[in-house]
Amino acid sequence: MTSSPSASAKDWQQPLYQHPLAWILLLACAHIISRVTISEGMKWDESEQILWSQEFLLGYGSQPPAYSWLQWAVGQVLGPSVLALSIVKHSLIVLTYVLAWQAARVLLPAKGAFWVAGGLLLMLPFGWDSVRDQTHTILVTAMTFGTWWMVLRQVKTPNPVHFVWLGVFCGLGMLAKYSFAMLIGVLFVTALTVPQVRRAILGHGWWLAPLVGLLIFAPHAWWLSQHWREATTETIHKMDISTQVSHLKGLGALAKAVFSTLGLWLIVALATYRGRLWRAAYRAEATAGAVPDWRAWAWPLLRRYLALVFLILIAMVVVGDVSSFKQRWVLPLTAIAPLALYAWRPALLAEGTGRGYTTAVVLFALVFWTLATIRPWQADWRHDPDELNHPVAQLAQQLAAAGYDGKGVIVGSDHMVAAMLRSHNPHAYAMSCTAEWGRMAECLAGGRARAADSRVGLLYIARMDKAAPDWWDTVLASHPGAAPQSFTIPFVHMRASTPPMQYQYVWLPAPVNP
């Protein structure tokens, strides 16, 4: 990711275009240091990865396994820690920026490639939510740009090796999120509608892409065939499919998800380029000598791809009765929008344009880093503590003083408290059992059986702000005579007047009856 300077060395923005990787790595390191420093607490997706990555499995519930495999590998070295979580996440964020830059670089100069990658940072589900608490979405977005990179390269310079890499990116994309299948389908269909693209993707060696992709996905596909209900129930529930809900509600939810994904980037682009986007004179200037050869096929491909994506999303509402959409679902499908902008108006890449855009990217990079760093103190300002304010170290110390040996099986009332405890007890096996999906009794039985079979102790732990009212009743039904004990511990980074956190636990040393 290097380029030669095209403007005065005194221009502070030129180093960003010349050496973007160095700046991306610097930003990632700043985020890792910040995250490790501010809190030992863990948010929803972070906690989920701590629990899932305890074992190397072909599948983990409702999500494909690729991210958890990466977390498992890093965890073998760094343990179930916040540092391990941060390194995996920010390494993938860097990879996403790099692949976005590479995809754009096939068509654009270095400055334009920087703007395409920078556009990702201006999309809130990536620029902010990926830092705050996202996992699988980061990986699937990276694979999205990897796929586009190989498709664009194949059209520009056909080579069978590109099909191998296309298969790798598509296979890993399917292992990142099942929704990646939609991206593959839409991209393939729209590619067939553009003659030059169609000839390239059906060229010599085309069969390598599906072969490599299927080989990568095959082991998990076998697991998926055995656990179909487990893998799909949660996603279907989140989509809120119901014929009783107005289509207007679904279209409103879709519009909100799309705007919250692309809105900030669109505002920055409109404010930066203003009349250059629309003026006839500007378009005439572009037509006179600044239209690259690749625009004849790249713009139709990108335009039709995005149009088909939005048509399918609307059809999901009108035909499929989907009434709930998440930003993270929309992001991978629309992340290519900045590249489409420059394919539509390549004259925007002219000398002297876009300085405000670059400034906005740098500004929001600093804003998001600052917000990520002060999150625990923001909770104090809101008078609303969250997981990053939990006193993880103090809880682990008090449990150890009460007799817990740091091993055995930890069963939490939610996966956040279970994961936070495991980060201080890496020799324990942690799991969460909640009332969701009506499988709590089955989950508790599994925890008891694991402790009994392994001849280790069993720790039940609940954070009382999240535990269901009847959680302890269900737990204690299998352990007559046991009674929960309580800890009351102040939150960290909160003022002294904040009501403390109450935890309840039951520690059952081995042997445990199944």
Side-chain angles (χ1 to χ4, degrees), residues 166-191:
L166 181 60
V168 169
F169 288 124
C170 287
L172 292 177
M174 287 297 299
L175 288 176
K177 265 191 177 296
Y178 301 126
S179 59
F180 195 79
M182 177 178 166
L183 184 143
I184 294 173
V186 173
L187 180 53
F188 180 72
V189 169
T190 51

Side-chain angles (χ1 to χ4, degrees), residues 374-386 389 491-498:
I374 65 174
R375 278 187 296 167
W377 293 272
Q378 280 183 306
D380 184 39
W381 303 334
R382 298 191 310 266
H383 304 285
D384 183 22
D386 70 2
N389 297 105
F491 287 105
V492 296
H493 306 309
M494 298 291 293
R495 66 193 67 187
S497 60
T498 303

Side-chain angles (χ1 to χ4, degrees), residues 85-125:
L85 291 169
S86 297
I87 285 178
V88 172
K89 173 182 289 191
H90 289 285
S91 295
L92 289 175
I93 289 175
V94 168
L95 177 63
T96 307
Y97 286 129
V98 169
L99 291 175
W101 194 92
Q102 293 285 12
R105 198 68 179 90
V106 175
L107 307 178
L108 308 180
K111 179 172 71 171
F114 177 90
W115 289 347
V116 170
L120 261 179
L121 187 138
L122 298 175
M123 297 179 189
L124 292 179

Side-chain angles (χ1 to χ4, degrees), residues 6 22 30 135 220 327 454:
S6 59
T135 50
H220 177 65
Q327 296 174 335
S454 303

Side-chain angles (χ1 to χ4, degrees), residues 45-349:
D45 284 359
E46 295 174 328
S47 303
E48 192 173 65
Q49 288 307 313
I50 289 292
L51 301 185
W52 284 0
S53 63
Q54 293 176 101
E55 301 173 285
F56 188 91
L57 302 174
L58 292 180
Y60 303 88
S62 63
Q63 297 286 3
Y67 196 103
S68 298
W69 289 347
L70 293 172
Q71 194 66 62
W72 174 86
V74 175
Q76 300 307 298
V77 179
L78 298 177
S81 62
V82 171
L83 176 61
L85 291 169
S86 297
I87 285 178
V88 172
K89 173 182 289 191
H90 289 285
S91 295
L92 289 175
I93 289 175
V94 168
L95 177 63
T96 307
Y97 286 129
V98 169
L99 291 175
W101 194 92
Q102 293 285 12
R105 198 68 179 90
V106 175
L107 307 178
L108 308 180
K111 179 172 71 171
F114 177 90
W115 289 347
V116 170
L120 261 179
L121 187 138
L122 298 175
M123 297 179 189
L124 292 179
F126 192 86
W128 171 242
D129 289 341
S130 66
V131 171
R132 186 183 62 84
D133 185 32
Q134 291 286 357
T135 50
H136 303 88
T137 301
I138 304 170
L139 180 56
V140 76
T141 306
M143 296 305 102
T144 294
F145 280 106
T147 299
W148 276 102
W149 179 29
M150 285 302 113
V151 169
L152 296 174
R153 286 194 67 182
Q154 177 61 18
V155 181
K156 285 267 291 189
T157 55
N159 190 321
V161 174
H162 297 156
F163 289 119
V164 176
W165 279 106
L166 181 60
V168 169
F169 288 124
C170 287
L172 292 177
M174 287 297 299
L175 288 176
K177 265 191 177 296
Y178 301 126
S179 59
F180 195 79
M182 177 178 166
L183 184 143
I184 294 173
V186 173
L187 180 53
F188 180 72
V189 169
T190 51
L192 293 179
T193 68
V194 183
Q196 187 172 344
V197 181
R198 180 175 65 248
R199 289 192 296 270
I201 67 167
L202 297 179
H204 177 64
W206 68 267
W207 53 271
L208 289 168
L211 176 63
V212 172
L214 288 172
L215 287 175
I216 290 173
F217 187 66
H220 177 65
W222 178 85
W223 179 92
L224 187 61
S225 68
Q226 309 297 314
H227 301 81
W228 182 253
R229 182 180 177 185
E230 179 183 352
T232 58
T233 299
E234 183 177 345
T235 299
I236 293 174
H237 176 79
K238 289 178 180 178
M239 292 172 72
D240 195 12
I241 300 175
S242 174
T243 57
Q244 306 301 315
V245 177
S246 167
H247 288 158
L248 288 177
K249 178 183 176 182
L251 292 173
L254 174 59
K256 180 179 178 181
V258 170
F259 183 77
S260 57
T261 300
L262 300 178
L264 177 60
W265 168 72
L266 284 171
I267 290 170
V268 170
L270 289 170
T272 298
Y273 300 119
R274 298 187 295 277
R276 293 186 178 93
L277 289 168
W278 320 110
R279 283 202 305 265
Y282 196 78
R283 294 197 295 272
E285 176 188 342
T287 305
V291 177
D293 294 341
W294 51 259
R295 188 184 186 278
W297 57 266
W299 170 231
L301 174 64
L302 291 160
R303 179 183 73 230
R304 295 172 191 177
Y305 166 83
L306 288 171
L308 186 54
V309 163
F310 286 116
L311 283 174
I312 292 174
L313 292 174
I314 292 171
M316 289 172 64
V317 176
V318 177
V319 180
D321 296 311
V322 175
S323 58
S324 178
F325 290 88
K326 305 292 185 183
Q327 296 174 335
R328 60 181 180 270
W329 301 346
V330 175
L331 172 66
L333 297 170
T334 59
I336 202 66
L339 181 57
L341 173 66
Y342 301 112
W344 175 49
R345 291 285 185 266
L348 294 175
L349 301 166

